[in-house]
Amino acid sequence: MNIILLGPPGAGKGTQAQRLVERHGMRQLSTGDMLRAAVKAGTPIGLQAKAVMERGELVSDEIVSGIIGEELDAMGPDAGAIFDGYPRTEAQAMSLEKLLADRGRTLDHVIELEVDEDALVERITGRFTCATCGKGYHDKFEQPKLPGTCDKCGGTEFKRRPDDNAETVRTRMAEYRAKTAPILPYYEAKGIVTRINGMAEMDEVTAEIEKVIG
Ligand code: AMP
């Protein structure tokens, strides 16, 4: 099974992808996570991507499609793939089609998480993660049970993304509207798009996704 999770920044794609990984042993292919890892490691791609990401603009199609191809090869043919934050442009959608076809994979579902953009700024600017295990938290909606200690791994260091500030978030949303939302009709024509209310409780969103993927 190969699925794309689509939706503006903060729609919950990463959270839902992680749940699918835990439940179904699928692989999460998040270009945002891969790029952040490249920035941290100071690789040539990371050096190129850093400033673009800090501005909330899109990294080049060639770079992201290249890393997706490498990840697909690394994960082997058996596990299902959840594309999270990719494709984000029409050119990427075309590249993905070819990357999948070349590996004998087909795209089963495109799930769009629909959200209220005004609420997203609050969601995004309040989020932080455990620096050790990556578990996500939120200033207002989900603090660690014991303040300063990760519920999952006991870690005591937390981090915030440098692009999760109000100004960059607005650029990221504008990029979504201008470049990513227009690829939906392409998938709609294939009859594989399902829209889910991403403003519902996280568990409800997960249940709706489960219904789609059966
Ligand atoms: P994300 O974690 O998905 O919100 O991505 C964070 C940032 O990484 C984006 O604002 C872009 O700068 C970059 N990025 C991630 N995925 C892509 C992609 N598929 N195409 C272009 N840029 C991307």
Side-chain angles (χ1 to χ4, degrees):
M1 169 102 48
N2 300 287
I3 66 176
I4 295 175
L5 292 181
L6 262 183
K13 302 184 296 291
T15 304
Q16 296 300 333
Q18 278 177 11
R19 291 180 169 203
L20 295 177
V21 168
E22 279 163 23
R23 288 171 188 219
H24 300 286
M26 297 174 80
R27 282 287 313 272
Q28 174 187 12
L29 298 177
S30 159
T31 40
D33 285 349
M34 294 169 199
L35 290 167
R36 278 185 288 280
V39 169
K40 196 169 168 206
T43 66
I45 284 179
L47 293 174
Q48 248 179 290
K50 186 169 186 287
V52 179
M53 291 172 76
E54 279 171 3
R55 290 197 299 272
E57 294 166 9
L58 293 185
V59 173
S60 83
D61 293 330
E62 292 71 27
I63 287 183
V64 290
S65 293
I67 55 181
I68 284 285
E70 284 169 19
E71 287 294 315
L72 279 173
D73 289 338
M75 68 186 250
D78 298 331
I82 310 156
F83 297 96
D84 157 16
Y86 177 91
R88 259 175 156 98
T89 64
E90 203 179 312
Q92 291 177 26
M94 297 307 129
S95 297
L96 178 60
E97 185 148 303
K98 178 153 193 327
L99 287 169
L100 291 174
D102 287 351
R103 290 160 182 78
R105 290 176 178 264
T106 47
L107 191 57
D108 299 284
H109 299 286
V110 176
I111 297 174
E112 189 200 9
L113 299 178
E114 290 187 299
V115 282
D116 161 13
E117 280 199 16
D118 292 334
L120 288 185
V121 177
E122 185 183 39
R123 263 201 200 181
I124 296 182
T125 54
R127 66 188 183 180
F128 61 98
T129 54
C130 170
T132 311
C133 74
K135 171 157 175 38
Y137 294 97
H138 194 279
D139 293 328
K140 193 163 157 192
F141 308 123
E142 195 189 358
Q143 285 277 359
K145 292 190 180 68
L146 182 64
T149 306
C150 175
D151 299 346
K152 194 169 164 190
C153 77
T156 53
E157 276 189 42
F158 296 87
K159 60 182 183 182
R160 287 175 195 267
R161 284 172 45 172
D163 59 347
D164 275 352
N165 61 78
E167 193 191 337
T168 308
V169 167
R170 272 187 271 278
T171 306
R172 288 160 61 198
M173 284 179 185
E175 290 281 66
Y176 181 81
R177 256 182 269 120
K179 296 174 185 164
T180 310
I183 64 183
L184 266 162
Y186 169 73
Y187 292 123
E188 265 162 2
K190 294 176 183 275
I192 55 173
V193 176
T194 306
R195 293 197 158 83
I196 289 179
N197 175 16
M199 298 310 291
E201 290 293 320
M202 268 192 275
D203 289 348
E204 268 176 58
V205 178
T206 308
E208 290 300 316
I209 295 177
E210 295 283 355
K211 275 192 216 160
V212 174
I213 65 177

